[in-house]
Amino acid sequence: LRGLGDVYKRQHVAVALLPEKCRFIFEKYLYKNLSPQEIADECNLSVNTVRVQIKNAFDRLKKHLGPAVFILFLYLIKQ
């Protein structure tokens, strides 16, 4: 790996490439630390829709970042 700064940069680029609705929900989940239920309530969506969008975001990030960087990303967001 090229360093944590590179991981963060790649993560931000990958999130920016998500489809608009998926990105909107994922950013609330990731950066605002809202639960799927809180996002659903705030956005007037079903909680299942929110969960699917979060899963889709993680799937796309894994594909974009590669497995090793994605695992590091998961570790870093929990810190």
Side-chain angles (χ1 to χ4, degrees), residues 16-39:
L17 293 173
L18 294 172
E20 185 177 349
K21 181 179 179 182
C22 186
R23 183 179 67 245
F24 177 78
I25 290 170
F26 190 68
E27 286 177 340
K28 287 185 175 292
Y29 179 75
L30 182 64
Y31 301 127
K32 294 187 178 182
N33 205 27
L34 296 178
S35 71
Q37 185 64 58
E38 291 169 322
I39 297 167

Side-chain angles (χ1 to χ4, degrees), residues 6-20:
D6 186 50
V7 171
Y8 284 117
K9 182 178 177 182
R10 290 176 65 189
Q11 173 252 311
H12 282 287
V13 169
V15 170
L17 293 173
L18 294 172
E20 185 177 349

Side-chain angles (χ1 to χ4, degrees), residues 29 34-41 45-48 50-51 54:
Y29 179 75
L34 296 178
S35 71
Q37 185 64 58
E38 291 169 322
I39 297 167
D41 292 344
L45 298 168
S46 78
V47 71
N48 286 334
V50 172
R51 286 185 179 133
I54 292 168

Side-chain angles (χ1 to χ4, degrees), residues 48-60:
N48 286 334
T49 296
V50 172
R51 286 185 179 133
V52 166
Q53 292 298 321
I54 292 168
K55 182 198 176 303
N56 289 344
F58 276 121
D59 289 346
R60 287 173 181 254

